[in-house]
Amino acid sequence: MGMVHVGLDIGTTNIAMVVLDLEAGRLLPAISLANPQLQTGELYSYAQDPHAIEQAVRALLAKVSSPIVSICVTGQVHGILYYDASGLAVSPLYTWLDRRAMEQVDGIDSQQLLLEKTGVLLPSGYGLLAHYANRRLGKVPSDAAGFCGILEYVTSRLVGKPIDKSDPSCLCPFGAFDPISSTFEERVLLEVLGSKEKQFLGSCKPFEVAGYTPDGIAVTYPVGDNQAGFFGLVSDWFRSALVSMGTSGQISLFSTNTECPSSMELRPFLGQGYLHVGATLTAGKAYETLHDLIASILRSAGMDISDEAVFDLMKKEGKNKGIPGSLSVDTRFNGSRKEPNIRGSIGPVNLENLTFGNLVLGTIDGIVDELYQFGLESGQVFDAVESIVATGSSVRKNLLFREALNRKFNRSTIVAQVDDGAGFGAALIGAVAIGALSLPQVKTVVASMIRS
């Protein structure tokens, strides 16, 4: 192998590394280490250990035998950690799943108080809101010199100094950030930070190098996983949509238009335009819920059956005995971002259609339909889309999901044959940052590698 580019994906469950050898046109299989939850004793907390994350990153990098010329970090956004004057973490990482902002202090939670003070409602788990809650809860470490996300922290540790900028894709999830002007709302920053003199992260340029490791490896400013995934998996930005099927679902559409439906989110995309993103609260989780129901019935009947065998049975029944469209399942089992209190349903039910196979197909169709509705709301942006790039274990392992995408979207579906799309995108971003690839060349590389 020649010189390689590394993408690091700091996920909530795993920390993955992707290694790209451009000279050989080769992408090595992603390797990963677990990223466990850290128990803090706080019932509202969902924390992880930034020191353990850094150790895992360095352990992964040590496995690369070829010379590394660039590194880019991507992964989970929204959460925060605190660091001291030397840049070393002095708190856990409070992740996007943390709910400290919903704890009441003096009869009101931090989310509601910030809304009353500024008129801005930030979702629980967003970084600025987490810091606001920590101030009110007395949880800010006494030796904290500042706070940032885990992506900024890992980047700073690699280059050996705190960084004062980040990509807008990482800044947006802190909350109260305008993706068009690339600035935070001053009234929110003042209320959250408590002083005009206190500064927060600024915006870097697209594909900007943050610094170098002691060995001289270029490290770019970090990029959010949604944007890195789109960059690594979609070669034709205007004519393809990215559909991600994980625990939740997400559809991402590229546009230079700053106006997107209110049900979707406008996200900055590497200085090239924007992603219009529609996200569901359940996708794989809805299918898992049906699995748990089927498994409980079979085990109640005395069958000793594994979870994997139940999934296999679901695929078999859906394929052989399910009739598409015969049973409708609304899979908003945990609500939606637009309607958090709405819940799912099954119907209309008659004497013939309430079958195992129809439940399987109806659930899959419901998952796909929720994403398709975002496309319809996008109007002309979606009308220009000719193909769907699908990623996630569901679409790779289960033909029924691929067939449902084809049925509902009525467009060709490309299943990305890449283990970690965000990590691959990060590796490509690093290559662009040091001039090893141009943007047109990136699209050619992506077109060849996602199908290989």
Side-chain angles (χ1 to χ4, degrees), residues 205-223:
K205 298 176 183 177
F207 308 103
E208 185 177 350
V209 173
Y212 297 84
T213 70
D215 297 328
I217 302 169
V219 183
T220 72
Y221 284 101
V223 175

Side-chain angles (χ1 to χ4, degrees), residues 404-417:
L405 285 168
N406 285 328
R407 275 197 308 274
K408 179 57 66 172
F409 283 88
N410 196 27
R411 292 160 170 84
S412 64
T413 300
I414 302 165
V415 178
Q417 300 302 312

Side-chain angles (χ1 to χ4, degrees), residues 59 97 138 159 236 268 280 292 348 351 355 363 417:
L97 292 167
V159 301
D236 193 333
T280 67
D292 293 345
L351 295 174
T355 67
T363 299
Q417 300 302 312

Side-chain angles (χ1 to χ4, degrees), residues 155-275:
T155 300
S156 73
R157 297 299 294 165
L158 290 173
V159 301
K161 61 179 181 181
I163 59 175
D164 59 3
K165 294 187 292 184
S166 193
D167 188 81
S169 62
C170 297
L171 299 180
C172 257
F174 282 102
F177 184 85
D178 182 357
I180 301 172
S181 65
S182 287
T183 57
F184 287 98
E185 294 193 36
E186 286 295 333
R187 69 184 186 279
V188 176
L189 275 187
L190 178 60
E191 178 65 23
V192 167
L193 300 179
S195 170
K196 287 185 177 180
E197 286 69 39
K198 292 184 179 179
Q199 300 295 314
F200 193 52
L201 294 164
S203 297
C204 70
K205 298 176 183 177
F207 308 103
E208 185 177 350
V209 173
Y212 297 84
T213 70
D215 297 328
I217 302 169
V219 183
T220 72
Y221 284 101
V223 175
D225 55 357
N226 177 216
Q227 288 84 347
F230 193 93
F231 193 72
L233 295 175
V234 179
S235 59
D236 193 333
W237 297 349
F238 285 101
R239 292 188 292 182
S240 297
L242 178 64
V243 170
S244 305
M245 293 277 195
T247 301
S248 58
Q250 192 164 263
I251 182 170
S252 302
L253 303 161
F254 176 79
S255 178
T256 54
N257 192 337
T258 59
E259 296 182 4
C260 71
S262 60
S263 62
M264 301 178 75
E265 186 177 343
L266 184 72
R267 298 180 183 177
F269 183 65
L270 297 167
Q272 309 304 305
Y274 304 91
L275 295 183

Side-chain angles (χ1 to χ4, degrees), residues 27-263:
L27 183 67
L28 273 66
I31 57 174
S32 63
L33 296 171
N35 191 11
Q37 183 178 357
L38 177 67
Q39 299 302 326
T40 66
E42 302 162 328
L43 294 178
Y44 50 78
S45 175
Y46 193 106
Q48 292 179 311
D49 185 348
H51 301 293
I53 291 172
E54 180 186 351
Q55 290 174 359
V57 164
R58 296 191 184 279
L60 289 171
L61 290 172
K63 295 178 181 291
V64 183
S65 56
S66 300
I68 301 173
V69 289
S70 74
I71 298 172
C72 178
V73 181
T74 188
Q76 60 171 301
V77 289
H78 298 299
I80 63 167
L81 60 86
Y82 295 91
Y83 57 86
D84 63 17
S86 70
L88 189 66
V90 291
S91 78
L93 164 66
Y94 304 113
T95 76
W96 61 281
L97 292 167
D98 189 273
R99 293 184 58 81
R100 66 192 54 242
M102 310 313 294
E103 290 294 300
Q104 290 202 351
V105 177
D106 297 329
I108 188 171
D109 64 57
S110 297
Q111 183 187 61
Q112 184 62 33
L113 182 63
L114 186 64
L115 174 62
E116 291 184 4
K117 294 269 191 176
T118 67
V120 176
L121 177 66
L122 295 186
S124 177
Y126 275 43
L128 291 181
L129 183 59
H131 175 61
Y132 191 57
N134 278 333
R135 284 183 56 209
R136 299 184 68 229
L137 292 166
K139 297 285 186 177
V140 178
S142 58
D143 51 350
F147 67 93
C148 64
I150 188 61
L151 306 187
E152 289 80 21
Y153 181 70
V154 170
T155 300
S156 73
R157 297 299 294 165
L158 290 173
V159 301
K161 61 179 181 181
I163 59 175
D164 59 3
K165 294 187 292 184
S166 193
D167 188 81
S169 62
C170 297
L171 299 180
C172 257
F174 282 102
F177 184 85
D178 182 357
I180 301 172
S181 65
S182 287
T183 57
F184 287 98
E185 294 193 36
E186 286 295 333
R187 69 184 186 279
V188 176
L189 275 187
L190 178 60
E191 178 65 23
V192 167
L193 300 179
S195 170
K196 287 185 177 180
E197 286 69 39
K198 292 184 179 179
Q199 300 295 314
F200 193 52
L201 294 164
S203 297
C204 70
K205 298 176 183 177
F207 308 103
E208 185 177 350
V209 173
Y212 297 84
T213 70
D215 297 328
I217 302 169
V219 183
T220 72
Y221 284 101
V223 175
D225 55 357
N226 177 216
Q227 288 84 347
F230 193 93
F231 193 72
L233 295 175
V234 179
S235 59
D236 193 333
W237 297 349
F238 285 101
R239 292 188 292 182
S240 297
L242 178 64
V243 170
S244 305
M245 293 277 195
T247 301
S248 58
Q250 192 164 263
I251 182 170
S252 302
L253 303 161
F254 176 79
S255 178
T256 54
N257 192 337
T258 59
E259 296 182 4
C260 71
S262 60
S263 62

Side-chain angles (χ1 to χ4, degrees), residues 349-367:
V349 176
N350 59 43
L351 295 174
E352 288 80 33
N353 68 354
L354 188 58
T355 67
F356 185 179
N358 287 342
L359 271 174
V360 171
L361 285 193
T363 299
I364 292 174
D365 283 341
I367 292 167

